[in-house]
Amino acid sequence: MHKQRIALLVTLLVGAGPAMAQTPDVIYKNSCASCHGRYGEKNALGKARPLKDLSQQDIAEGLRARKAGEIVGAGNKAKARLSDEDIAALSAYVVTLKK
């Protein structure tokens, strides 16, 4: 009985992992919008170009470079937490913000 409970708990926890991942809109709202603006229209901290002016590839490359520490800035801690899947989804999402 005890082994069955442990197996069920492991199954639930492993199965819940991907479902609990944040969607790109939530990641952007929580980690990016405060500096880059709601629509990617701001120069983050007066330095970075507005995201709305960048392609999806430029955004993904920038996120990867920040994650790797090749570009240093205030948002590096947030970028360090992104998986490759998060970067792909986030860069695809950001280009949809263009007005």
Side-chain angles (χ1 to χ4, degrees):
M1 182 77 152
H2 182 67
K3 287 181 183 181
Q4 289 174 332
R5 286 183 186 165
I6 291 173
L8 177 61
L9 179 60
V10 168
T11 301
L12 290 172
L13 290 174
V14 171
M20 294 176 66
Q22 290 186 334
T23 58
D25 59 318
V26 172
I27 293 171
Y28 186 84
K29 180 181 176 185
N30 292 338
S31 300
C32 310
S34 61
C35 293
H36 291 285
R38 185 173 179 185
Y39 301 104
E41 76 281 6
K42 292 183 180 179
N43 291 1
L45 303 174
K47 296 179 182 180
R49 292 183 296 170
L51 297 176
K52 69 177 186 66
D53 297 339
L54 303 175
S55 69
Q56 181 176 340
Q57 182 177 346
D58 291 336
I59 294 165
E61 288 173 1
L63 288 169
R64 283 193 284 278
R66 297 284 298 269
K67 179 179 178 176
E70 296 167 8
I71 300 172
V72 178
N76 279 29
K77 285 186 181 180
K79 275 87 171 173
R81 294 189 295 263
L82 297 174
S83 68
D84 290 339
E85 293 80 15
D86 290 335
I87 289 172
L90 188 57
S91 60
Y93 172 73
V94 170
V95 296
T96 69
L97 299 175
K98 297 178 182 184
K99 283 189 160 188

